[in-house]
């Protein structure tokens, strides 16, 4: 098993474990039935899950164990979504594929608990689309791709847009990618999804060195189309070009549709990863 495979599977395991802890009680998502939207507080009744007890509210009342209160959440309906996963060569840069595996497994495990179905689309040197399956089955397929052939190719998001249009109208789409795609690619998927009455979230993985000054120069990951080899160019003009690209993209897409996931220890915005995903699946 390659080092890349080990790192990807370790990251996916961490993402799944984090989702399991949320499902088990660290977050409002408790069981396959209840959802994440808080409704209110009510008095504990026989048979309620002890993990839903709000100890702070119960203690504030001052009656000790004589009266307990539980938190209530609205139920979530089952959903059908599409995962578009970018496995092109740029996702190798500074561990972006590890954060991708983490976020994908986190989302998939939450959807698994809510009994969702997921259609998987992968982008590398070609676009491949698969039918609906369980969310974690989609994650396993991506991990097998990472372990067998890794991340390679240089196709653009616009190459996958026709597959997005091919699914049923209104299907929510979660896109796992980076900034090494054309603005047209982002815009086309966004427009197609919105025109169909659905929604989309772009989870954009960013690495240190590709967006700004990192001490010793400005950096930009360059991808050789024939070999998929990566190099880092420390050139001011490239940095300016990247910054313009990012700023223009942000001007084309509303902020809530673009979720940056930095590839740095301790900076993964877990709350936004969860809330944006739950907002997306509610569009189903």
């Amino acid at each position: 098993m390659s080092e890349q495979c080990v790192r990807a599977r370790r990251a996916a395991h961490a993402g799944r474990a984090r989702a399991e802890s949320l499902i088990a009680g660290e977050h409002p998502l408790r069981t396959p039935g209840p959802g994440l939207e808080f409704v209110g507080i009510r008095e504990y009744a026989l048979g309620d899950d002890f993990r839903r007890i709000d100890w702070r509210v119960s203690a504030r009342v001052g009656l000790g164990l004589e009266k307990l209160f539980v938190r209530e959440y609205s139920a979530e309906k089952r959903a059908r979504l599409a995962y578009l996963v970018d496995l092109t060569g740029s996702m190798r840069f500074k561990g972006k594929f590890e954060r991708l595996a983490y976020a994908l497994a986190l989302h998939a495990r939450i959807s698994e608990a809510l009994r969702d179905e997921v259609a998987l689309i992968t982008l590398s040197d070609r676009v491949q689309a698969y039918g609906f399956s369980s969310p974690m089955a989609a994650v396993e397929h991506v991990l097998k791709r990472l372990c067998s052939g890794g991340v390679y190719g240089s196709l653009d998001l616009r190459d996958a847009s026709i597959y997005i249009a091919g699914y049923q109208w209104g299907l929510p789409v979660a896109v796992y990618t980076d900034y090494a795609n054309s603005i047209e690619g982002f815009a086309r998927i966004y427009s197609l999804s919105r025109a169909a009455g659905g929604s989309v979230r772009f989870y954009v993985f960013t690495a240190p060195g590709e967006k700004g000054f990192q001490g010793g120069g400005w950096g930009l990951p360059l991808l050789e189309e024939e070999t998929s080899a990566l190099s880092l160019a420390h050139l001011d003009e490239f940095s300016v070009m990247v910054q313009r690209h990012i700023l223009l993209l942000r001007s084309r897409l509303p902020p809530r549709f673009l979720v940056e996931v930095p590839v740095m220890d301790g900076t993964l915005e877990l709350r936004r990863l969860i809330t944006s995903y739950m907002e997306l699946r509610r569009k189903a």
Side-chain angles (χ1 to χ4, degrees), residues 37-75:
E37 188 172 350
F38 175 69
V39 174
I41 299 287
R42 65 168 173 81
E43 191 174 344
Y44 175 82
L46 185 63
D48 284 339
D49 190 338
F50 274 100
R51 292 174 298 182
R52 296 194 183 197
I53 295 175
D54 191 316
W55 295 105
R56 291 184 179 179
V57 172
S58 300
R60 195 177 302 133
V61 173
L63 297 177
L65 296 178
E66 296 177 16
K67 186 172 289 188
L68 298 174
F69 294 86
V70 295
R71 298 172 67 87
E72 285 193 299
Y73 300 89
S74 62

Side-chain angles (χ1 to χ4, degrees), residues 5-227:
C5 179
V6 171
R7 288 161 58 191
R9 287 196 172 275
R10 185 183 297 124
H13 177 76
R16 177 169 183 165
R18 185 59 181 142
E20 293 282 1
S21 70
L22 304 178
I23 295 167
E26 291 184 22
H27 199 274
L29 180 62
R30 309 291 183 169
T31 63
L36 294 179
E37 188 172 350
F38 175 69
V39 174
I41 299 287
R42 65 168 173 81
E43 191 174 344
Y44 175 82
L46 185 63
D48 284 339
D49 190 338
F50 274 100
R51 292 174 298 182
R52 296 194 183 197
I53 295 175
D54 191 316
W55 295 105
R56 291 184 179 179
V57 172
S58 300
R60 195 177 302 133
V61 173
L63 297 177
L65 296 178
E66 296 177 16
K67 186 172 289 188
L68 298 174
F69 294 86
V70 295
R71 298 172 67 87
E72 285 193 299
Y73 300 89
S74 62
E76 294 283 350
K77 66 177 183 178
R78 297 175 66 177
R80 278 189 156 195
L81 305 93
Y83 289 170
L84 171 54
V85 182
D86 186 346
L87 297 176
T88 57
S90 63
M91 294 301 292
R92 285 207 310 269
F93 185 64
K94 293 194 175 181
K96 282 190 279 191
F97 70 89
E98 293 178 67
R99 285 307 197 191
L100 183 153
Y102 180 98
L104 188 64
L106 174 74
H107 290 163
R109 183 61 188 94
I110 290 174
S111 270
E112 190 101 347
L114 296 169
R115 295 173 291 175
D116 295 341
E117 288 185 309
V118 166
L120 176 65
I121 305 168
T122 59
L123 178 70
S124 54
D125 62 334
R126 62 189 186 278
V127 182
Q128 291 182 289
Y130 307 87
F132 287 98
S133 66
S134 71
M136 290 309 299
V139 173
E140 183 58 30
H141 184 89
V142 170
L143 290 174
K144 286 181 178 179
R145 284 282 302 275
L146 287 171
C147 290
S148 61
V151 284
Y152 54 89
S154 57
L155 290 185
D156 188 83
L157 286 178
R158 63 176 177 267
D159 298 306
S161 60
I162 189 173
Y163 292 86
I164 298 296
Y167 284 106
Q168 66 189 57
W169 283 133
L171 191 70
V173 182
V175 183
Y176 303 88
T177 187
D178 62 5
Y179 281 123
N181 287 277
S182 68
I183 293 174
E184 178 191 354
F186 282 94
R188 185 176 296 182
I189 290 176
Y190 171 76
S191 299
L192 282 170
S193 178
R194 300 292 287 176
S199 191
V200 63
R201 292 295 184 275
F202 295 95
Y203 295 97
V204 182
F205 299 87
T206 64
E210 67 176 343
K211 287 177 58 184
F213 190 71
Q214 297 296 318
W218 294 84
L220 174 70
L222 300 181
L223 178 67
E224 295 289 340
E225 291 192 10
E226 294 185 359
T227 64

